[in-house]
Amino acid sequence: RINYIFQRLPHARPEEKEEWRKANISDQIAEAVWKPKIIACRLFPINDLPVEILLQIFHLAVWDIPTAFTTIQSRLFITWVCRRWRNVAIADPLLWNTIWFKDVPDFTRSFEFFDRAGNAPLELRINDAIKSGPEDTIDLSRSLTVPRMDRLMDRLLTKIEQITLLIVVIETWSTIHRFLERLYSSHTSPRNLKRIEIHRTGRGYFPNAEDSDGHQQYDHAFIFCNGRASNINFLCLNGVHLNWAA
């Protein structure tokens, strides 16, 4: 096809030659190069591949994406292609074990991923979606309140031994306090937790002051996970205090 393009060029009229040089040749060469590849890709019998090869393709497609939100979308898109892709993808825990809890509470989509992850190691990020839009406006309907944190932790603590990475970004101190309290009082230790980040993004907390949502002051600091998270090698605390003296 490329040879045909160049063979035809000398027989064209002068004005056609100039037009071809400026506009058409590059387009036609590009089409000649890429069209066979596109056709071959569409005709390739991908569903004839073994499951393990298909999963490798899925993993490359999902994890070679720069943004977390796009990664969430790509996993969903895979399950919408056909029945076989959906069955293969849902049956693979490692395709779902990285979860960003940023959807509307009570996190229906995220907990679907959580269930699909099965017994795989978990990498979790919990994000308070209280602020949204170009002006960072407050949306209380999406706020991660204390009762919502309790319901969230009720589910997460059932797999606390599987969590290897946990990043928490919360607006209010009261919700962070409840999160730390639930980790402290858990009967199961996060023995595989390697990395933990806790960020409080709300206003500064001062002793003898009340939190902005009306909860009592919190002078009591917890020992993180009651001292049972022995494998942590990365810890980041931002606007959060713990009991280091015990």
Side-chain angles (χ1 to χ4, degrees):
R1 176 69 185 277
I2 296 176
N3 288 334
Y4 170 75
I5 295 171
F6 284 107
Q7 288 171 5
R8 184 180 171 188
L9 183 59
H11 304 290
R13 295 191 299 273
E15 62 272 16
E16 289 180 333
K17 291 182 181 181
E18 186 65 22
E19 182 181 356
W20 275 54
R21 287 193 179 93
K22 292 183 177 179
N24 293 335
I25 290 183
S26 60
D27 291 343
Q28 292 187 52
I29 292 175
E31 181 182 356
V33 170
W34 289 105
K35 191 172 183 179
K37 296 183 179 181
I38 294 172
I39 293 174
C41 180
R42 291 184 176 181
L43 295 179
F44 182 77
I46 190 169
N47 281 331
D48 292 341
L49 293 174
V51 170
E52 58 270 21
I53 302 299
L54 191 59
L55 281 175
Q56 287 295 324
I57 295 172
F58 289 171
H59 281 254
L60 289 172
V62 167
W63 303 124
D64 193 28
I65 293 177
T67 65
F69 181 72
T70 310
T71 300
I72 294 172
Q73 287 184 313
S74 64
R75 284 181 281 182
L76 294 174
F77 291 160
I78 286 174
T79 64
W80 298 344
V81 172
C82 64
R83 182 178 299 175
R84 182 169 190 260
W85 283 30
R86 179 176 178 82
N87 292 338
V88 170
I90 290 178
D92 178 32
L94 295 178
L95 201 60
W96 309 98
N97 65 332
T98 298
I99 308 168
W100 190 7
F101 288 84
K102 198 181 180 181
D103 43 324
V104 178
D106 290 317
F107 305 108
T108 302
R109 181 194 65 207
S110 294
F111 276 122
E112 184 64 32
F113 287 20
F114 186 77
D115 292 337
R116 293 176 182 179
N119 295 322
L122 295 171
E123 297 183 357
L124 308 179
R125 172 167 179 158
I126 302 169
N127 236 103
D128 196 346
I130 190 171
K131 293 181 178 180
S132 61
E135 298 180 358
D136 222 20
T137 55
I138 294 178
D139 182 1
L140 294 178
S141 67
R142 300 173 61 90
S143 172
L144 193 52
T145 60
V146 171
R148 286 171 173 168
M149 175 58 77
D150 272 328
R151 293 194 292 272
L152 175 63
M153 293 303 292
D154 287 343
R155 296 285 302 275
L156 295 187
L157 290 177
T158 63
K159 295 186 178 183
I160 190 171
E161 291 183 326
Q162 298 171 225
I163 300 175
T164 60
L165 179 147
L166 183 58
I167 300 175
V168 181
V169 183
I170 302 295
E171 177 82 8
T172 61
W173 168 248
S174 56
T175 305
I176 287 284
H177 183 271
R178 180 56 58 88
F179 168 76
L180 293 171
E181 181 181 14
R182 294 297 302 271
L183 287 179
Y184 174 83
S185 60
S186 172
H187 298 295
T188 308
S189 64
R191 60 184 182 181
N192 292 310
L193 185 61
K194 301 292 194 303
R195 176 176 180 138
I196 175 89
E197 297 182 32
I198 307 175
H199 305 269
R200 184 172 60 84
T201 58
R203 69 180 181 86
Y205 173 74
F206 302 95
N208 303 319
E210 289 191 341
D211 192 57
S212 59
D213 59 1
H215 285 264
Q216 63 180 359
Q217 62 188 22
Y218 297 113
D219 295 325
H220 174 65
F222 292 104
I223 304 170
F224 182 70
C225 293
N226 203 9
R228 293 177 296 179
S230 57
N231 289 320
I232 290 179
N233 54 39
F234 185 98
L235 173 66
C236 175
L237 301 175
N238 177 14
V240 179
H241 65 278
L242 298 174
N243 183 352
W244 301 102

